Every structure is written in structure tokens, then in C-alpha cells.
Amino acid sequence: MTAPIRFPRFFVTSPAPCPYLPGRSERKVFTELKGPHADQLNEALGRIGFRRSQTVAYRPSCLDCQACVSVRVLATKFQPSATQKRDLKRNSDLIVTECRPWATDEQFELLARYLGQRHPDGGMSAMDELDYADMIEHTPVSTVVTEYREPLPNGKPGRLVGACLTDRQGDGLSMIYSFYEPDHPGRAGLGNFIILDHIRRAAAEALPYVYLGYWVEGSPRMQYKVRYRPLERLTREGWLLMEPDEQHRLIAAATAPRQAQDESLVAMGAGVRGKDGQPVKFSAS
């Protein structure tokens, strides 16, 4: 006889400074993922805006702000822009392999280079090998590490230039955290390519969605997520397609001159954490 699925217990973190918008505080509601039904629980929570961090599923639960919005790409209907087509072509020779969630020295060294250049003041910059192993290996759900390697002259996989921790769900792929070679000549758009590759692979498997986590309008470092069309966002009425005119406006703002974006990041105190607020530490209040 199969044991019944128990309704999970939820907890709320104490308020902390918001990593995205200055002068605001954040709270998260979270629950533990464990047991034989962890995959089903993680998928059900993902559809209502939760994200996974190791053995915990969480979502924002701020008292006076709803700026964090869950977004997902409609993989089977995706239409790449001209820039995205160039990134796909430029990196089409990379060898993509789904690996079991097992941390390696090569992955950690790549992550350290990425954080050192892209998020030098972030909360993840102090991660050591054990912290990285915890992030990768402590998963109770169907998870892979997708590696991106340059081919050797004999065609075999060579240098690791990108990686993504990815949850495989019944309705799509959930990108938990990606990182890549931050200053690679001839490999512009690596971060963009990793997302595009997830969209392509989801569509090839007839999986409808690629979950990108939270988009925060007004936070410059989160604006890259609006570049993927069509895009759905989670509202009180459920998942709704972002209107093309609105998304066009947001994409134009996201692709503004880099200097202006960098100045905005400094003004907002960006770098407090990595993208999507990783890593997440939880203590119930």
C-alpha cells in the first residue's frame, strides 16, 4: 500500500536587505524537499513560483513588494532574435553533455573565474569547494549538470567553458544556476547560448517550458530574462503571456548601452548576491 503524500510544512525567513531593489527588505517562504515524492512536490511548487536551492523550495514572501516575478520561456514556440541566432551559430561547435550532479574540480575552477569577474562582491564569491559540492550534489530531485565543452582537434570533448545546474521536470527544464568562462575571445554570448541551448533541448523533447527563475523589473542584472520570446510570467490569475509590445519595450531597455547598465548596478548596490539571490540560506522566523 502506498503511503499518502503529506502536505509540506512551510516556514518564513526573517526580513533581510533586498538583493535587487535598494531600500527594500525581503522575506522568503520555504519548505523542505525530501522523501519519495520530492520530485512531484518540487514540480508542483515550481508551477506556483517556487525555486529550488539544494533540499529546499522557496519563493519570495515580502510584506510590501511583489517585484519578483516568476518567468518561463515557451520552448516549443520560441523564436530567436537576430542576436540569439548569432550566438547559436557562434557556439554551435560546443559539445553538450548532461552529467550526474557530481561536483568536479574543473567545474569549481570555472565557477571561481566566473564569480571573480562577474560577481566579485557577491555572496557566492566566498564559496569553497565544499560549498560548491553542497550546491551541486545536495538534491532530492531529478537534477543534471549540463556541461559545455570545446571540441579537441580529434572531435572529442575538451576544455570546459560553461555549465548549468538543471532540474528536469515533467513540463520542462528549470535552470537553477549557470556559469561560464567570463572572458573568452571568440566565445561572446556564452551565457545567452546556455539558455538558448536549454530552450532548444526542451523543444526537442516536446517539453513546453524552460523556467528562468525570477525577473525583477527595475533590477538591471535581471533584465536579460525578458529577451526570450514568447515569455510567460506568473500572476495572481496564473501564468500569462507577456504582451509583445511590453516585452519589446523591456528588451529595448535591457539592451541599452552597457555603461549605463553598469552605472545603474553600482547605484543599486548590485553584487550583494549572485543572480536569483543564490546561494540561499534559510532560518525560520
Side-chain angles (χ1 to χ4, degrees):
M1 183 175 178
T2 304
I5 300 176
R6 294 183 177 179
F7 191 79
R9 296 178 62 192
F10 291 88
F11 305 90
V12 179
T13 63
S14 299
C18 176
Y20 307 123
L21 300 175
R24 301 192 191 184
S25 62
E26 69 164 358
R27 295 191 319 170
K28 290 184 172 71
V29 59
F30 67 96
T31 190
E32 187 177 7
L33 297 169
K34 62 181 180 180
H37 303 292
D39 264 314
Q40 295 95 315
L41 177 59
N42 187 48
E43 289 191 26
L45 293 175
R47 294 188 185 103
I48 58 172
F50 278 75
R51 295 284 285 168
R52 185 182 68 82
S53 176
Q54 298 181 27
T55 60
V56 167
Y58 71 93
R59 65 172 294 174
S61 181
C62 304
L63 293 174
D64 56 354
C65 180
Q66 290 80 45
C68 292
V69 178
S70 295
V71 292
R72 64 188 186 185
V73 184
L74 278 67
T76 54
K77 298 181 179 179
F78 176 71
Q79 295 293 326
S81 66
T83 298
Q84 290 165 345
K85 288 179 181 178
R86 287 194 294 271
D87 286 339
L88 282 168
K89 183 177 180 180
R90 182 185 296 116
N91 296 289
S92 61
D93 63 322
L94 292 179
I95 298 172
V96 184
T97 307
E98 284 193 357
C99 309
R100 65 191 181 109
W102 187 258
T104 68
D105 291 341
E106 189 180 19
Q107 292 168 8
F108 176 72
E109 290 166 3
L110 176 61
L111 174 68
R113 292 194 297 273
Y114 171 79
L115 293 174
Q117 183 157 328
R118 297 301 175 95
H119 304 287
D121 300 319
M124 294 181 69
S125 62
M127 287 180 69
D128 59 20
E129 291 90 340
L130 292 178
D131 295 325
Y132 176 69
D134 285 344
M135 183 177 81
I136 296 297
E137 298 172 12
H138 285 186
T139 171
V141 302
S142 300
T143 303
V144 297
V145 176
T146 309
E147 290 189 340
Y148 298 83
R149 294 181 177 275
E150 293 181 318
L152 295 172
N154 62 7
K156 293 185 177 180
R159 177 187 178 187
L160 180 70
V161 296
C164 184
L165 182 65
T166 307
D167 286 352
R168 297 189 63 89
Q169 300 180 176
D171 66 346
L173 303 177
S174 179
M175 299 180 66
I176 304 300
Y177 194 83
S178 62
F179 52 96
Y180 49 90
E181 199 64 64
D183 189 16
H184 190 316
R187 290 285 179 195
L190 268 174
N192 185 35
F193 176 77
I194 291 173
I195 297 175
L196 293 170
D197 177 68
H198 276 68
I199 296 171
R200 180 171 58 184
R201 289 187 295 115
E205 297 180 38
L207 296 171
Y209 306 115
V210 171
Y211 289 84
L212 298 182
Y214 300 117
W215 165 68
V216 184
E217 187 170 9
S219 176
R221 62 195 174 93
M222 303 296 284
Q223 298 313 299
Y224 70 92
K225 298 181 182 184
V226 302
R227 300 180 186 179
Y228 304 91
R229 295 182 285 193
L231 190 72
E232 287 187 343
R233 55 184 168 189
L234 185 60
T235 72
R236 292 183 178 180
E237 290 74 39
W239 289 96
L240 297 178
L241 188 68
M242 186 175 286
E243 291 295 332
D245 288 346
E246 180 185 9
Q247 191 165 4
H248 180 76
R249 173 182 63 81
L250 292 168
I251 291 173
T255 54
R258 184 70 189 182
Q259 181 178 357
Q261 293 186 38
D262 291 342
E263 289 172 355
S264 297
L265 288 169
V266 172
M268 295 180 67
V272 176
R273 301 188 190 179
K275 53 191 173 184
D276 274 8
Q278 295 281 350
V280 179
K281 304 296 183 182
F282 296 93
S283 58
S285 62

